[in-house]
Amino acid sequence: MRADITPSPPLAEGVGLPWDVPVDDAVAVLARARAAYGDTFVVETGRDRYLFTFSPTGVESFYALPEEKASKGVADYLMLRRKLPDEIFEGRRTLPGSLFRKGDVATYLDNLGEALDTTSSELGTSGTVDVFGLTRRLAHRMGLASWAGPGCASGDDFERLVAAFDTLDGSDAFVHPDAMAAVAASGKAAEKAALDEITAVVGASIDRPGASDLFARIVAAWDGDPDRERGIAWDVALIHVASMSNLAAALGWALVDLVEHPEQQAAIRAGDTELAHQCTLESTRLAQRSIMGRTVLEPVDLDVGGTTYRVGAGATIATLLPLTNTSAAPGLDEWRPERWNRSRLADPSALASVTLVTAFGHGKHTCPAQPFSVSAMSMAVTHLLGEYDVDALWPTYPVPVPAQIGGVARSDGDCVMRYRRRA
Ligand code: HEM
């Protein structure tokens, strides 16, 4: 039985989501449904019922939904469990939401500084590199230095963890939704093996001297527990998969856009940190492919403007950032960093609601990592552009993976740039 929604919204006939049916381009499919059925409609897909809303009032109501009745946590879990082994969710004691205590960000940025120096050594004086490969490796190194055990961010341990995390990668659930049926059919065998590998590497690091603050907190939470080694390693694993992949992707787009904009590149090299912040926010906004979902646990009302729907338990209320972020007012399809004033739009007057545009979300679920992510991306682009002259080897502007429905866009195929160390 599918969840009740009253009154009945328009049903997008024949439309399914990429976990359940093959689609050419997940965002385009929903854009076509919106054009045909209006700003609020239902998609029935697999066993699920999604109420999508894109109207100004609907999106405002979406961000105001109470977590205990319409849950982001449950929606994220249902999405990620398509890829991650069930056991990783059980019994976690340190969660990604607890990564931002006083002093934490300064430590992560110190680790980023070291990871950037290592990246420069690996790049050498000149060559070519895939932008998204470079940013993924950098994010792994910074993240593992910040929350895995001593030694996990260098040498053989690091290479083993990179390989394991690239296999475990929870973001495949929304970047390659069309691959999830095969993951289910395999019984998540590759993911379980990757988790075992992570347990072995992180487990061996637990009692080495020199733990980071966060790793020490994770270890302390398992003090005296007979399942200590696995508990610690799986806390680290869930933190790492939940946090780093969007940051790596967004940093990739920030680099791509700056390679294409020499004027802003030069200003950032000259030390304009505020511009670096604006550029990273703008690239993140344009690269957003996020489906924002709330799984209804208890019936809730959703006012979409003119109509208020009563949405029953089991439905998912959703909006899709790429359908509003670039079109809610004229000019939003262009890369214009100066539209940002700190983390807000400088002039939202053309928008029917400020909630129609975002890089890091609105309301109480707004990303707690936004200040850190913007600082980290700005620091990384400033370092890399300061060290290297760069040219694009991509023939046309890179495009997102077409089936992707969630998170920050991943580039479809390689995205290679040439670099040469500056004099
Ligand atoms: C550029 C990188 C990132 C982008 C674009 C991004 C974007 C977002 C967005 C749009 C939301 C709100 C989702 C919603 O309302 O459904 C969110 C929430 C969240 N993000 Fe991020 N994020 C990034 C990096 C990170 C990092 C590095 C972490 C590390 C821990 C993180 C942790 C979280 C958490 C825990 C939440 C949930 C907050 C809550 O439910 O109260 N994010 N993020």
Side-chain angles (χ1 to χ4, degrees):
M1 255 280 285
R2 285 206 171 104
D4 276 342
I5 304 176
T6 48
S8 269
L11 170 67
E13 298 279 354
V15 173
L17 297 183
W19 298 286
D20 307 307
V21 294
V23 299
D24 49 357
D25 178 324
V27 171
V29 162
L30 288 164
R32 286 198 292 269
R34 184 182 177 194
Y37 299 99
D39 274 345
T40 303
F41 55 88
V42 163
V43 170
E44 291 181 349
T45 177
R47 280 192 259 156
D48 300 320
R49 201 159 200 225
Y50 284 77
L51 177 63
F52 277 97
T53 188
F54 300 99
S55 71
T57 307
V59 175
E60 281 178 8
S61 305
F62 170 87
Y63 283 115
L65 286 167
E67 173 67 16
E68 61 287 1
K69 290 189 177 172
S71 171
K72 165 178 161 48
V74 173
D76 284 356
Y77 162 71
L78 293 175
M79 167 98 86
L80 289 174
R81 72 189 277 238
R82 292 186 161 102
K83 167 76 180 177
L84 296 175
D86 289 341
E87 51 269 33
I88 197 176
F89 297 103
E90 285 155 21
R92 299 286 50 82
R93 297 189 183 171
T94 306
L95 292 165
S98 53
L99 257 55
F100 297 99
R101 297 206 192 150
K102 200 167 182 302
D104 282 348
V105 168
T107 310
Y108 306 154
L109 293 177
D110 282 349
N111 290 330
L112 175 60
E114 285 181 26
L116 283 165
D117 288 341
T118 310
T119 302
S120 297
S121 318
E122 287 184 350
L123 287 172
T125 50
S126 64
T128 59
V129 67
D130 173 52
V131 172
F132 291 89
L134 176 135
T135 60
R136 209 169 46 242
R137 191 167 168 82
L138 176 66
H140 278 316
R141 202 184 289 279
M142 174 187 65
L144 292 171
S146 299
W147 41 75
C152 288
S154 61
D156 193 39
D157 280 0
F158 177 65
E159 302 303 340
R160 286 175 65 189
L161 287 172
V162 167
F165 275 113
D166 282 347
T167 302
L168 189 65
D169 193 355
S171 68
D172 282 348
F174 50 83
V175 177
H176 299 290
D178 44 342
M180 291 307 106
V183 170
S186 76
K188 301 181 184 162
E191 291 73 16
K192 287 179 178 169
L195 196 51
D196 286 346
E197 172 79 344
I198 292 163
T199 308
V201 178
V202 175
S205 75
I206 292 175
D207 296 318
R208 289 181 197 145
S212 68
D213 285 357
L214 182 54
F215 190 65
R217 286 201 317 250
I218 294 170
V219 170
W222 289 90
D223 212 11
D225 194 294
D227 208 15
R228 172 176 182 257
E229 185 173 312
R230 205 164 44 172
I232 292 167
W234 292 11
D235 278 0
V236 169
L238 191 62
I239 286 172
H240 197 68
V241 290
S243 58
M244 281 295 104
S245 72
N246 279 328
L247 182 57
L251 174 58
W253 292 105
L255 271 173
V256 164
D257 290 330
L258 282 165
V259 169
E260 297 223 336
H261 291 87
E263 197 185 312
Q264 283 84 356
Q265 233 184 78
I268 289 175
R269 278 195 184 110
D272 191 341
T273 310
E274 179 52 32
L275 178 64
H277 286 191
Q278 291 172 308
C279 291
T280 57
L281 275 166
E282 183 66 345
S283 294
T284 305
R285 175 185 73 83
L286 286 168
Q288 267 293 2
R289 297 276 286 191
S290 280
I291 182 170
M292 314 281 265
R294 306 289 185 255
T295 302
V296 179
L297 307 176
E298 274 180 46
V300 277
D301 290 327
L302 188 82
D303 177 3
V304 300
T307 309
T308 296
Y309 292 101
R310 183 80 177 155
V311 187
T316 302
I317 304 175
T319 190
L320 188 71
L321 297 191
L323 293 199
T324 49
N325 255 1
T326 59
S327 58
L332 282 169
D333 53 342
E334 290 161 27
W335 188 82
R336 284 207 295 112
E338 63 279 11
R339 74 171 82 246
W340 292 96
N341 177 9
R342 298 185 177 271
S343 58
R344 294 173 196 279
L345 292 176
D347 177 13
S349 59
L351 288 170
S353 164
V354 287
T355 60
L356 294 176
V357 174
T358 189
F360 286 90
H362 291 285
K364 51 190 167 308
H365 292 298
T366 300
C367 183
Q370 174 171 351
F372 158 68
S373 300
V374 171
S375 297
M377 289 190 282
S378 302
M379 186 170 155
V381 295
T382 304
H383 173 98
L384 292 168
L385 297 174
E387 294 243 311
Y388 295 101
D389 285 320
V390 286
D391 304 293
L393 293 185
W394 47 90
T396 52
Y397 191 80
V399 292
V401 172
Q404 180 173 348
I405 182 163
V408 175
R410 308 313 199 251
S411 161
D412 189 25
D414 288 347
C415 176
V416 178
M417 70 177 181
R418 185 169 37 221
Y419 60 90
R420 183 169 311 102
R421 198 183 293 278
R422 290 162 65 78

